[in-house]
Amino acid sequence: MPRDPRYDVLFEPVQIGPVTAPNRFYQVPHCNGMGYRDVAGMTVMRGIKAEGGWGVVCTEQCEIHHSSDITPFIELRLWDERDVPALERVAQAVHKHGALAGLELAYNGMNAPNLSSREVPMGPSHLPVASFTYDPVQARAMDKQDIADLRRWHRTAALRAKRAGFDIVYVYAAHALSGLQHFLSRRHNDRGDEYGGSLENRVRIVRELTEDAKEAVGDSCAVALRFSVDELLGPEGLHREEAHDMIGLLAEIPDLWDITLSDWSNDSQTSRFGGEGAQEPFVAGIKGLTSKPVVGVGRFTSPDAMVAQIKRGVLDLIGAARPSIADPFLPRKVEEGRIEDIRECIGCNICVSGDMTMSPNRCTQNPTKGEEWRRGWHPERIATKASDAKVLVVGAGPAGLECARALGARGYEVALAEAGMELGGRVAKECRLPGLSAWGRVRDHRVQQMQNMTNVETYLDSRLTAEQILEFGFEHVAIATGASWRRDGVARFILRPISIAEGAEVLTPDDLMAGKAPSGKRVVLYDDDHYYMGGVLAELLVAQGRKVTLVTPAPDVSNWTHNTLEQGRIQTRLLELGIAIEPHRAVTAVRAGGIETACVFTGRKTELACDSLVLVTARLPNESLIQELTAKRDAWKDAGILSVKAIGDALAPATIAVAVYAGHRYARELDGPETGDDPPFKRELTEVLPL
Ligand code: ADP
Ligand code: SF4
């Protein structure tokens, strides 16, 4: 289908200094947990985005010097000449598909604890390093020689970037991850020289680095300035008015303004806290301060929203990190008039958790993310079927839906049987909880894709038994029956069922999602799961008029969401809702009318009165079906069954992303070669040098 003329504006070229972006789809720099360690994986991933139509594809931040070493995080490095060939390959992979390649040069300064290089970190002032962890290391205040050195390092890095073939070279002054932002910030910069104090002085270093880069590479490379316009800290922090004054001082110096919020948790808000286009109030008006193009983000997945940003004069280029991860082919789909095929980001930040845990980043919606090179998984292409085998998929949660969709795309005859009256499994239930409506996109995309597949049949209201499956005659059976929340307290801290008195009301997330409400007013929610469910259900209970106490063995609520950049927002929201939070405590006994909790350090016990207890603990796989089928293995041959396999939560409960991946992997590997004991993926090994 030709593209809808309404979207023509998105395909206009945009001049950025000496280079021209072929369209307005701009993949802004984003971390991916691969960086210098998994260069091949990162390179192929970036190349695929260019293939998918992004007109500009940027790298993650790239440390320009070994005194900007953010170990343990894995980003790119340009510490010396030997790093150039790896970057060259990235630029080539992007150019192959006609896109511009951008490199985000970073000097992290006091954000870099230098755990690997062991250099003394440097910043505008003597202050503890501002890393994600409380590293017991301080940065020293840079003197004039240090600043001169930094200018030289940055210039050298820009020249290397140009030599590596990049079209856009960044000066990075954003997210409170960049040392340059610390110079801009009144909170961090207490200098009395010409690099501190007045606005002019605080922007001086950014001005100098931008001018140096222009002078060094500006003949053929555009120089972009990535800049945070608000830290959301009120007048104490960098804020709109001050940022606008700073932009006014630098307005025409860079070739492109890349506008962000700071810190990263404000810039990459989850869908629970910010919707599509949530940054518009912060970006609006910047185009009035400069004649240079402006790029900004907003988790844009709708081409209509993108067009509106351009038409209203908010942005020139539609920046995207997460939407380009969830769907590397988003621009191509708009171009080809296939809007309904766009795999929309759900705003869960599982991708961010990859970077935060130093592992190749994963995506809930795009199971091929991070697997492009090492497994050869392309987000849009999948091998056609290798046999005429028919496949039965039991359970239509994220694992079953993705399994059926991907098998269908391969051309297999597939039957998808779901016990309930709706598709989606856990996402169908969870998307009705406060703040999680975007989770429904996991189901919607797959259901939409299967609609046009004549080889996939879906059956609702079909709770299958082992006997029925043996009668059906499918060659392969994928069991995706999901998991159930435990009601005995077992999870991470308590490993044996706790004593629950008769008459005590104990509810699980499954009960609450099925519409069951606690009978009394006072509810204790015990969270030993530590992801989003505990916090979300606490919100639900408050909305139902309950007085909620959240007890957790962790130091704070929803502790794992530090990795999705949400923990601060979740805890703030719960406190503002009046929820009492009791950290470092585990539930040790449940009585009628109350519970006993123990301090996780001293074991000291306390009684807490309540009418109901909600246990957000571990889950157990719904494995009765696979167990029954396994017990009848002798009957498989006569039934024509070649394989029966549990996938997703039915095998071991985990995230939605893991379930989608499990379904996808099953489909990819069906009829494939037996995997031996070696890893079923390629690895890039460190070069072994002579000792
Ligand atoms: P996952 O995250 O692994 O996809 P979910 O819990 O989201 O798992 O989904 C499992 C789905 O399987 C649910 O929709 C559930 O109704 C369905 N299911 C469970 N047992 C059966 C069964 N015996 N036959 C058909 N569907 C089943
Ligand atoms: Fe979006 Fe979640 Fe995928 Fe990240 S992991 S791109 S937030 S769907």
Side-chain angles (χ1 to χ4, degrees), residues 505-509 512 516-527 534 537-551 578-582 587 590 593-595 597 608-616:
E505 185 175 79
V506 172
L507 297 167
T508 70
L512 297 189
K516 204 165 167 186
S519 51
K521 172 113 177 129
R522 296 164 310 164
V523 180
V524 169
L525 186 147
Y526 177 55
D527 187 359
L537 290 182
E539 278 187 51
L540 176 77
L541 290 164
V542 170
Q544 292 174 349
R546 301 305 189 284
K547 181 141 186 40
V548 180
T549 302
L550 192 152
V551 175
I579 293 168
I581 296 170
E582 294 211 6
V587 175
V590 185
I595 59 164
T597 69
L608 186 58
C610 67
D611 305 312
S612 307
L613 173 66
V614 176
L615 287 174
V616 185

Side-chain angles (χ1 to χ4, degrees), residues 255-267:
D255 297 311
L256 170 75
W257 282 91
D258 181 337
I259 301 299
T260 69
L261 291 181
S262 184
D263 56 16
W264 188 14
S265 69
N266 292 326
D267 204 33

Side-chain angles (χ1 to χ4, degrees), residues 394-560:
V394 186
L401 283 173
E402 175 61 14
C403 184
R405 184 209 65 80
L407 285 168
R410 290 192 64 186
Y412 284 98
E413 291 291 323
V414 183
L416 173 62
E418 164 54 46
M421 295 301 290
E422 62 176 352
L423 299 174
R426 61 181 288 190
V427 293
K429 294 179 196 141
E430 291 181 23
C431 76
R432 295 185 195 112
L433 295 173
L436 301 187
S437 62
W439 270 214
R441 290 177 170 183
V442 174
R443 168 201 56 204
D444 298 343
H445 173 70
R446 288 160 180 92
V447 171
Q448 193 283 331
Q449 293 292 292
M450 288 192 290
Q451 255 161 22
N452 304 325
M453 294 182 181
T454 50
N455 52 331
V456 180
E457 290 290 342
T458 300
Y459 303 91
L460 288 174
D461 200 11
S462 305
R463 180 172 294 282
L464 300 188
T465 61
E467 287 71 27
Q468 286 171 316
I469 292 172
L470 286 169
E471 277 164 24
F472 288 154
F474 288 89
E475 281 89 343
H476 299 286
V477 183
I479 305 285
T481 47
S484 305
W485 290 90
R486 294 182 75 129
R487 53 177 78 244
D488 58 5
V490 171
R492 291 188 161 78
F493 195 79
I494 307 276
L495 302 176
R496 293 280 176 271
I498 49 179
S499 109
I500 299 178
E502 216 165 299
E505 185 175 79
V506 172
L507 297 167
T508 70
D510 288 324
D511 295 331
L512 297 189
M513 285 190 280
K516 204 165 167 186
S519 51
K521 172 113 177 129
R522 296 164 310 164
V523 180
V524 169
L525 186 147
Y526 177 55
D527 187 359
D528 196 12
D529 168 60
H530 311 290
Y531 194 16
Y532 56 84
M533 186 57 80
V536 166
L537 290 182
E539 278 187 51
L540 176 77
L541 290 164
V542 170
Q544 292 174 349
R546 301 305 189 284
K547 181 141 186 40
V548 180
T549 302
L550 192 152
V551 175
T552 178
D556 47 21
V557 300
S558 301
N559 183 271
W560 195 78

Side-chain angles (χ1 to χ4, degrees), residues 118-137:
R118 303 185 74 175
E119 295 291 346
V120 175
M122 296 191 292
S125 319
H126 289 294
L127 274 175
V129 289
S131 50
F132 284 105
T133 41
Y134 293 117
D135 295 289
V137 174

